Amino acid sequence: SDLDNLFTFFCLPNVECRQFALSYVGKWTRLNQLTITLEVSSDANLTNSDPTMTPWIKTFYMQVKNGTNLRNLPSACEASTPLSPVLTGSFGPSNLAIIRLEIRDPADMDRVYGNGDAISVTFSQDTDAAGMLENTFTKNMVDSLFSFSR
């Protein structure tokens, strides 16, 4: 497409997207703003966590390709190949749900709630781990993520 001739799309730092959409169109909505609209998203992208095929918020970015002759207006400067900041915004409300909440006693020592018992929370899809994947959660961290009631 014309957009593919104008831009390189990156799904990860320095990693080009293999295919983040099956089809898209672009329109200059102002002289300083191009709006790219997905016509058909790849079904694989909707369920695929492959980072080379998914335009994730805070990761996806793009760059104008060399040789495209994109210039300021009036054309007083050399052609430019600017690099965008990372994608911001939202794809809409999350459909993330807790589908299972289960407690177990790993030592199988008794039948009452007590030390060492573990509560497992299972979500309907992969999460971003609230940006804390590498952490062991403290009580305060757990309390900042969840509301508890009886």
Side-chain angles (χ1 to χ4, degrees):
S1 81
D2 292 337
L3 290 172
D4 293 323
N5 293 329
L6 184 59
F7 298 105
T8 301
F9 299 98
F10 296 92
C11 285
L12 292 171
N14 301 316
V15 177
E16 288 185 36
C17 293
R18 290 190 290 140
Q19 181 177 349
F20 71 91
L22 296 178
S23 180
Y24 41 88
V25 295
K27 179 176 177 142
W28 289 100
T29 49
R30 294 192 299 249
L31 289 175
N32 69 343
Q33 183 175 0
L34 174 71
T35 299
I36 300 171
T37 303
L38 301 177
E39 289 189 321
V40 179
S41 64
S42 169
D43 287 342
N45 296 352
L46 301 177
T47 58
N48 189 338
S49 60
D50 180 346
T52 64
M53 293 183 69
T54 308
W56 290 346
I57 306 293
K58 298 182 183 176
T59 305
F60 180 83
Y61 65 101
M62 53 199 272
Q63 183 170 22
V64 174
K65 290 183 176 181
N66 283 320
T68 60
N69 257 348
L70 182 67
R71 300 173 184 268
N72 61 330
L73 184 69
S75 298
C77 298
E78 291 291 322
S80 181
T81 59
L83 185 68
S84 77
V86 295
L87 183 65
T88 60
S90 165
F91 293 114
S94 173
N95 60 356
L96 190 63
I98 295 173
I99 59 171
R100 186 177 198 167
L101 187 64
E102 182 179 22
I103 190 165
R104 60 182 173 69
D105 182 351
D108 206 17
M109 298 288 289
D110 54 46
R111 299 181 67 179
V112 295
Y113 176 75
N115 289 338
D117 291 353
I119 297 174
S120 294
V121 182
T122 305
F123 293 91
S124 57
Q125 60 191 16
D126 290 348
T127 73
D128 67 355
M132 299 185 263
L133 184 63
E134 301 301 320
N135 295 337
T136 298
F137 285 63
T138 64
K139 179 186 182 308
N140 288 340
M141 291 167 83
V142 171
D143 290 345
S144 74
L145 288 172
F146 299 101
S147 297
F148 299 95
S149 63
R150 291 181 182 209

